[in-house]
Amino acid sequence: MARLRGKALLGVFRLWVKRALFYLNDVAAVIQYALHGFRPRQGLTILCYHRTAQGLPRRVPFNPYNVDLQVFLKQLETIAAMKAITIVSAGQVARWLEGEVPPHGSYLLLTFDDIWQNNLSAARALASRGMPAAFFVPTAHIGKEVFSFSAFDVWCKAQSGADPDWYTPIRAEDLPRLRSLKIEVQPHSHAHRSLGSMSSAEMEDDIRQSVAIVRQAVGEDPVAFAYPYGSTMLGDVPLAAATELKRQGIVFAVATDAGCNRLADLRRDAYRLRRIPVNPYDVGLFIRAKAAGFCGPLSLAKSMFHRLPGMKAVPHANGKGSPDMSPTRQRG
Ligand SMILES: [Zn+2]
């Protein structure tokens, strides 16, 4: 019993250390932005959102990666006011990669991973402002009661008084609704397992299924793909995946490695584009710095950490523990 309590306390301690690290990193991103004269970086910045639910319990055992809808609305206002940035769709990025050379500039693509019922309100807010966004859906989980791969969601569903809007995955009938709001629905794999943990045959089958289900749900060919967990350093982005993604007509894929993508590198990095995660406290200068392509020094520190002797890449062990507890992993 005492051992169990000790383990739980250690888990909470690690979570708080991780949160503090991310916060300090985001402060550093604001400093980078200030040093750059509050001008956006040239290139393609891709922001990564997850849940946008309201009223989640504040003290929770796992980081729910939630940006409260009210905070999200403020972020949209801030981003819309950044006139030096052009918001682009996934379709536009695909057209660049298929031949149309992008002119110099600062571009921003908004992406959401996993997709819950609560993201419908975010979709309506985006549509009312004429802002495009790509929603990445793990297709085996459409219409399920809960995302079984998410320790937080499973915990959340078990709480008395939990609002189903906090944790219910998107339903099949909502996918065309998203499309009618000009949201681009794209695959986030089928099973939401790390592709690095699968055999080649499993991986190809998983990608094929997810592309086919999205195509059927929204009646058009997907062009983008988001890797589950998405860390190239931890082995979630196997090189062989790009071959199958290309075969399925996918033009680019996004990882969870943090950073801004230089336009000159877009073709080279098309199947491992970097993103910047958005946190619940990112308002004002914090969200401006991220939309401008600044993400702090943590990504560089992580890549150095994983190059240390003995730091072998281990793909996320699906269903075992919580990815939130890894000292360096972002969720994708
Ligand atoms: Zn995901």
Side-chain angles (χ1 to χ4, degrees), residues 48-50 65 113-114 149 188 192 226-231 236 255-256 275 323 329-332:
C48 177
Y49 283 95
H50 284 87
Y65 294 88
D113 282 9
D114 301 345
F149 59 82
H188 183 33
H192 203 282
Y227 298 98
Y229 309 105
S231 167
D236 302 320
T256 55
R275 294 193 283 179
R329 187 184 289 281
Q330 290 280 2
R331 177 160 137 206

Side-chain angles (χ1 to χ4, degrees), residues 300-314:
L300 185 67
K302 274 188 197 179
S303 80
M304 286 164 68
F305 176 74
H306 287 290
R307 276 189 202 128
L308 291 174
M311 294 310 299
K312 203 170 150 275
V314 180

